[in-house]
Amino acid sequence: MSLLTVNHLSIDFTTRDGTVSAVSDVSFTVDKGETLGIVGESGSGKSVSCYSLLGLIPMPPGHIKNGTAIFDGIDLLQANEKTMRQIRGKRISMIFQDPMTSLNPYMRVGQQIIEPLLQHSNMSKTAAKEKAIALLEEVGISDAANRFQQYPHEFSGGMRQRVVIAMALITEPELLIADEPTTALDVTIQAQILELIHELQQRRNIAVIFISHDLDVIKRMADRTIVMEKGHIVEQGNTQAIFDAPTQAYTQKLIASIPNSAKPEAYRFTGDQDSHFLTLNNISIAYGNKKNLFKAVDNVSLTVKQGEILGLVGESGCGKTSLSHSIVRLVDIQQGEICLQQDALEKLSIAELKGKALKATRKDIQMIFQDPYASLNPRMTVFNTLAEPLRLHGLASNAEDIKNKVLTLMQDVGLEARWANKYPHEFSGGQRQRIAIARALAVEPKLIIADEPVSALDVTIQAQILSLLLKLCQERQLTMIFISHDLAVVRYIADRTAVMNQGKIVEINDTESLYQNPSDPYTKSLLAARV
Amino acid sequence: MLRFFVGRLLQSIPVIFIVITATFFLVRAAPGGPFDAEKTLSPEVIERLNERYNLDAPMYEQYFDYLGHLAQGDFGPSFRYTNRTVTEMIYAGLPITFELAIYAIMIALVIGIFAGMLAAIKPNSAQDYIPMSLAMTGICMPSFLLGPLLVLVFGIWLQWLPVSGWGYSPGDKILPAITLGSTYAAYIARLTRGGMLEILSQDYIRTAKAKGLPMATIIIRHALRGGLSPVVAFLGPAIAGLLAGSFVVETIFQIPGLGRFYVQAAFNRDYTMILGTTILLSCLIVLLNMLSDLLAVWLNPRLALSNEKN
């Protein structure tokens, strides 16, 4: 018999615009010791269905319309609060997505780890502490006895997720629900955490429900996989079988959207190999005061050729964003020189620009940011968002001209003209990123800096935006610096790739050469960490 | 932590110095003088009084003279109450005002935190609306209205409590404490509600729920500490405000506290008394703000880290 049997689960949410069905008619089973992967894009209902098993969805607005979830003879959806409390954290544990927010910042981690144990057993504090320290060591935290006394902010992201895992496992649960446990982590850390979860599961023979939007992660972790779309199960079965031969159109589309190829031939750089469009000479950027100096960018030199897409890859804190911000003068450099070539002879030193000249150069360099939810002004319509830079830089002669230019821009990025008077919140994530791209293009820049432009997007949307960027760069002969932590994405879009680590560029090469024959040990470890 | 404390202490010295200087010159710049009265004194008498209290000396000389005495802990004689020094009068009044303020803030904390928590646990229900509308009323109601109302109901109609005094008859401290504390209870209730609502929506509360902890444990152990940080930040200025604002309540209930002396001193142009009480109160405000900052650091370990970095 299965450990957990979910039958015909349907969940509604009451919103201002009426009732929305978040999950409808979802049925699955989990057996002892197996890993069930649930994969889907945002809004597919993958998290909601699992949260409902533990009674963690707020009700109202949530409402379980139908279904049963039998765990060891108990219906989790009908059980009273007292019964549920004895299951939550004892027999079924959870690991949440963001280890930065899922630990209480006001409490020592040790206290938080032993809490479920003290709640669910009669164990003494000393015994619980001993067990917790042993477990912390098992999940790879050295010097556990001292770390036990520390607060969450004294741990790095990966270490915190280890703490969260220890906390979930301390009561020796039969079922572990992991909701995007590695999404917020860097690739090398992600690989370690996935390995850890896999190892612990083998050792303790626990069942795991692994929720992720990342197909590669699911492919690696799950024995069986469920593919969800808009609250429905599209396909379920053996993981290998689903990835090798998906039967449903949606699954096929999802798998096809994973960037796993080299840059398409048609879009490759064909310009002048010796051009020096943008030159960075020995630049350094540091934060903090004299006593506590943190060098974000340490003596970096780099040349970008006219018309190429340069990928900039690195993990969080490597300095890639500081470097890109210095090019648009959002941060000042302490040392070095940034030059933008105007024409064959003239060169502009960006760091020395002031006033009007700075404004003119800003027009030539535009940025696209990671989060299309945060980077668009929520109180401006699409039309105004796109018209503002045109007016600001005097690129249109009159109202008619502005209107034409805005509508052309919208068409170029695949937005319908009738949406011009809508506000950002009325658009989906992918559409918003199209607006952000259009805004960057509005002033006809020569260089685009795209800082993780597809990281916040679902995989199918990500594929659309990537091909849009490739198309636009070619049509408009744009030069682009494409920053990402995602190696597969960079491989698909960049002509050359630079790898950054601890403020330095450790390797730069043609993308394919770099992916196939990495020379630097850090690049090698990054590539090895890919799932 | 110690460095942070010493740093704050050093920062407060110029603040207090500016307060002393500004007050010293402002009270002298105001029209009238300490010896103006309905019955005009003869010019000879005024001249001799001015001479005695050193008021005929040039302004800067008076100022440095005052600073010199102050450095030795001497606030000088009262200009109004002959034969009494300012220090004596503060000694007599301060403990009473302090006691009143302590009772008031305790009432405010207990009622405010409890009401705010009730409201935050079930937002947008009767459990939220009733305490919060009471709090709104509390904020809007000035103490010179609430005080007499309480006296009318509990002192005169019901005759449960004495209508005035301080320590003369049992229970006479209750009404003044409630009158003074109620406005602050209302503010604290609103701050607690806001802070708790924010904390209760955090991911780590969901983590705590997923551990199988009962609601009461989640609130007390996981939410309260973070949820009360806005209250703690408010506490320093609130106690200082209570001390400075106690004169209305002291006047209504005939309490011989510092607040009444303070107001009378202002009316009387009792220069030394005004200066003495102002300096004392500003020191208290600085000190209490510092204490509430320290408390905030103790509650939130992440703040300690950022302080060490600076």
Side-chain angles (χ1 to χ4, degrees):
Chain A
M1 208 188 87
S2 297
L3 180 65
L4 172 71
T5 311
V6 175
N7 265 322
H8 307 295
L9 176 65
S10 295
I11 302 167
D12 284 349
F13 275 85
T14 314
T15 66
R16 242 177 249 175
D17 305 324
T19 308
V20 178
S21 166
V23 174
S24 57
D25 202 22
V26 162
S27 304
F28 61 86
T29 60
V30 187
D31 286 331
K32 248 194 157 140
E34 78 161 343
T35 301
L36 175 74
I38 303 182
V39 69
E41 299 186 285
S42 48
S44 63
K46 55 190 191 302
S47 295
V48 174
S49 23
C50 290
Y51 284 16
S52 71
L53 302 177
L54 286 180
L56 291 180
I57 49 172
M59 292 195 273
H63 165 66
I64 293 172
K65 210 169 75 182
N66 193 13
T68 54
I70 310 295
F71 175 79
D72 191 24
I74 305 161
D75 186 352
L76 298 176
L77 304 178
Q78 299 296 325
N80 62 24
E81 181 62 23
K82 202 177 156 210
T83 318
M84 281 311 289
R85 275 215 308 270
Q86 282 155 3
I87 293 174
R88 280 203 286 253
K90 170 141 178 62
R91 305 185 61 190
I92 305 178
S93 290
M94 282 205 71
I95 302 173
F96 296 97
Q97 173 170 357
D98 190 351
M100 300 290 164
T101 58
S102 58
L103 287 170
N104 187 340
Y106 299 102
M107 246 170 129
R108 294 176 200 279
V109 294
Q111 228 54 42
Q112 300 190 52
I113 294 171
I114 61 171
E115 214 177 13
L117 207 53
L118 299 178
Q119 180 69 32
H120 297 293
S121 70
N122 294 323
M123 197 180 263
S124 74
K125 256 194 169 169
T126 340
K129 188 177 168 184
E130 261 169 42
K131 189 170 177 183
I133 290 173
L135 189 58
L136 279 174
E137 268 162 8
E138 194 182 342
V139 299
I141 292 179
S142 51
D143 194 19
N146 281 325
R147 299 291 259 168
F148 188 85
Q149 295 295 339
Q150 291 183 328
Y151 287 101
H153 67 257
E154 297 169 83
F155 288 74
S156 68
M159 284 294 156
R160 281 190 219 193
Q161 200 60 306
R162 286 170 199 266
V163 169
V164 173
I165 291 170
M167 197 160 80
L169 291 180
I170 197 159
T171 51
E172 292 164 15
E174 294 142 73
L175 174 65
L176 179 69
I177 300 173
D179 182 15
E180 306 258 9
T182 57
T183 306
L185 304 174
D186 281 327
V187 273
T188 49
I189 311 294
Q190 162 166 309
Q192 293 165 12
I193 297 289
L194 291 178
E195 187 54 43
L196 175 69
I197 294 176
H198 186 70
E199 228 180 82
L200 290 167
Q201 181 206 11
Q202 296 292 313
R203 209 177 301 155
R204 292 159 185 256
N205 197 33
I206 41 181
V208 175
I209 299 179
F210 200 102
I211 305 168
S212 182
H213 73 286
D214 188 330
L215 290 120
D216 289 328
V217 168
I218 292 289
K219 189 175 171 184
R220 167 166 171 185
M221 295 297 288
D223 302 313
R224 284 190 305 121
T225 296
I226 294 177
V227 182
M228 284 189 76
E229 185 201 11
K230 293 176 188 159
H232 296 270
I233 291 183
V234 179
E235 187 164 1
Q236 65 173 311
N238 179 281
T239 304
Q240 200 62 44
I242 283 188
F243 278 88
D244 288 347
T247 58
Q248 300 299 314
Y250 178 73
T251 318
Q252 287 163 0
K253 185 176 145 201
L254 262 188
I255 293 173
S257 301
I258 310 174
N260 61 353
S261 59
K263 185 166 181 174
E265 200 67 51
Y267 293 111
R268 290 207 186 153
F269 175 61
T270 53
D272 179 7
Q273 288 293 346
D274 297 324
S275 77
H276 295 271
F277 180 65
L278 176 75
T279 320
L280 311 184
N281 262 332
N282 302 320
I283 69 160
S284 290
I285 301 165
Y287 300 108
N289 51 26
K290 270 183 191 157
K291 253 192 267 167
N292 236 320
L293 203 65
F294 172 68
K295 272 205 165 175
V297 175
D298 190 3
N299 217 9
V300 163
S301 297
L302 188 68
T303 310
V304 185
K305 297 167 192 166
Q306 175 125 38
E308 78 166 342
I309 298 179
L310 176 78
L312 190 56
V313 180
E315 298 186 289
S316 48
C318 74
K320 55 190 194 297
T321 296
S322 292
L323 183 69
S324 68
H325 282 185
S326 73
I327 299 170
V328 282
R329 282 284 294 274
L330 285 174
V331 294
D332 284 327
I333 53 173
Q334 266 81 49
Q335 180 202 315
E337 190 184 28
I338 304 174
C339 287
L340 186 69
Q341 188 175 356
Q342 290 300 88
D343 46 53
L345 292 171
E346 196 189 349
K347 277 192 174 183
L348 271 177
S349 176
I350 289 178
E352 286 160 16
L353 290 177
K354 279 188 194 121
K356 267 192 184 157
L358 178 62
K359 189 178 160 191
T361 311
R362 282 229 162 102
K363 179 183 98 54
D364 287 342
I365 310 173
Q366 287 293 314
M367 283 204 77
I368 301 169
F369 295 95
Q370 171 172 1
D371 188 352
Y373 291 83
S375 62
L376 292 171
N377 186 336
R379 285 169 221 282
M380 273 166 87
T381 60
V382 178
F383 186 88
N384 287 331
T385 299
L386 298 181
E388 188 185 41
L390 292 174
R391 289 194 196 106
L392 194 67
H393 290 284
L395 292 173
S397 42
N398 52 43
E400 189 64 24
D401 196 17
I402 289 180
K403 196 179 163 195
N404 287 335
K405 283 201 161 132
V406 167
L407 293 180
T408 317
L409 269 172
M410 287 182 68
Q411 200 184 359
D412 286 353
V413 298
L415 293 169
E416 289 180 34
R418 62 190 167 91
W419 294 339
N421 288 321
K422 285 190 172 190
Y423 288 90
H425 71 263
E426 297 174 85
F427 292 91
S428 68
Q431 287 168 339
R432 281 185 228 200
Q433 201 57 298
R434 286 173 194 269
I435 301 171
I437 293 171
R439 183 189 55 187
L441 293 178
V443 295
E444 291 160 19
K446 295 176 184 151
L447 173 67
I448 297 260
I449 297 173
D451 190 356
E452 304 263 9
V454 294
S455 307
L457 305 176
D458 282 325
V459 58
T460 53
I461 311 296
Q462 174 176 311
Q464 292 167 13
I465 297 290
L466 287 177
S467 42
L468 174 70
L469 284 173
L470 278 178
K471 188 178 113 217
L472 289 168
C473 278
Q474 192 176 53
E475 279 172 10
R476 298 176 173 238
Q477 305 205 320
L478 289 168
T479 309
M480 181 155 81
I481 298 177
F482 188 98
I483 301 166
S484 182
H485 70 284
D486 188 331
L487 298 148
V489 166
V490 171
R491 183 178 184 185
Y492 178 75
I493 198 164
D495 297 298
R496 285 193 306 146
T497 298
V499 180
M500 266 190 100
N501 185 29
Q502 297 182 346
K504 287 187 185 328
I505 289 184
V506 294
E507 186 167 3
I508 180 164
N509 205 345
D510 287 335
T511 304
E512 274 312 299
S513 317
L514 184 129
Y515 275 73
Q516 277 157 19
N517 300 306
S519 63
D520 184 82
Y522 180 72
T523 316
K524 282 180 189 163
S525 74
L526 266 188
L527 288 167
R530 278 186 304 169
V531 256
Chain B
M1 194 67 151
L2 187 73
R3 264 188 62 194
F4 168 66
F5 187 74
V6 172
R8 287 294 304 269
L9 211 60
L10 288 176
Q11 277 172 28
S12 59
I13 290 173
V15 173
I16 289 171
F17 185 74
I18 290 169
V19 168
I20 295 170
T21 311
T23 319
F24 184 88
F25 289 107
L26 276 175
V27 290
R28 278 167 174 76
F35 312 120
D36 296 341
E38 281 167 30
K39 200 180 93 187
T40 342
L41 297 169
S42 67
E44 295 83 27
V45 176
I46 293 209
E47 200 174 303
R48 283 186 53 198
L49 278 170
N50 277 341
E51 200 185 315
R52 182 176 160 202
Y53 289 111
N54 203 20
L55 285 172
D56 52 353
M59 197 77 101
Y60 70 88
E61 207 181 301
Q62 290 183 41
Y63 175 65
F64 287 112
D65 199 45
Y66 183 77
L67 284 187
H69 281 105
L70 194 62
Q72 298 162 37
D74 178 11
F75 284 116
S78 166
F79 286 177
R80 194 72 184 191
Y81 301 94
T82 35
N83 306 325
R84 289 191 76 181
T85 66
V86 172
T87 317
E88 274 171 25
M89 288 170 69
I90 288 177
Y91 260 122
L94 188 65
I96 294 173
T97 301
F98 221 82
E99 196 185 345
L100 174 64
I102 296 285
Y103 293 152
I105 201 72
M106 281 189 333
I107 287 174
L109 280 173
V110 171
I111 296 176
I113 290 175
F114 187 70
M117 268 171 57
L118 272 186
I121 291 167
K122 273 198 178 163
N124 303 320
S125 66
Q127 196 179 321
D128 178 13
Y129 293 142
I130 294 170
M132 282 307 113
S133 9
L134 280 175
M136 207 59 228
T137 321
I139 289 173
C140 296
M141 178 100 79
S143 49
F144 57 78
L145 180 63
L146 181 66
L149 262 177
L150 289 175
V151 168
L152 188 68
V153 175
F154 295 101
I156 296 168
W157 291 348
L158 297 170
Q159 304 223 331
W160 287 355
L161 293 165
V163 295
S164 72
W166 188 256
Y168 304 129
S169 51
D172 64 359
K173 292 177 183 177
I174 295 174
L175 287 184
I178 291 175
T179 310
L180 189 56
S182 67
T183 312
Y184 292 89
Y187 274 115
I188 289 171
R190 290 172 63 84
L191 286 172
T192 307
R193 178 183 182 270
M196 289 297 281
L197 272 182
E198 198 197 317
I199 296 292
L200 286 174
S201 69
Q202 297 287 318
D203 282 355
Y204 63 81
I205 298 299
R206 189 182 60 190
T207 309
K209 247 182 232 168
K211 285 178 181 174
L213 302 178
M215 198 60 195
T217 314
I218 293 175
I219 287 176
I220 293 168
R221 205 183 293 161
H222 285 272
L224 209 55
R225 200 162 171 174
L228 286 188
S229 46
V231 176
V232 170
F234 173 67
L235 216 50
I239 297 176
L242 273 176
L243 288 172
S246 61
F247 69 89
V248 177
V249 176
E250 288 178 8
T251 311
I252 297 170
F253 292 96
Q254 303 285 310
I255 300 168
L258 192 65
R260 278 182 73 200
F261 287 148
Y262 195 18
V263 178
Q264 280 165 11
F267 284 130
N268 295 340
R269 303 278 184 280
D270 191 345
Y271 293 163
T272 42
M273 187 67 197
I274 296 174
L275 271 165
T277 35
T278 306
I279 293 165
L280 184 79
L281 281 173
S282 53
C283 287
L284 279 173
I285 289 170
V286 167
L287 191 74
L288 288 167
N289 271 314
M290 203 150 65
L291 284 179
S292 92
D293 283 354
L294 282 176
L295 201 57
V297 171
W298 177 72
L299 279 173
N300 187 350
R302 282 177 300 180
L303 286 176
L305 186 81
S306 56
N307 284 324
E308 271 164 33
K309 272 189 185 155
N310 293 332

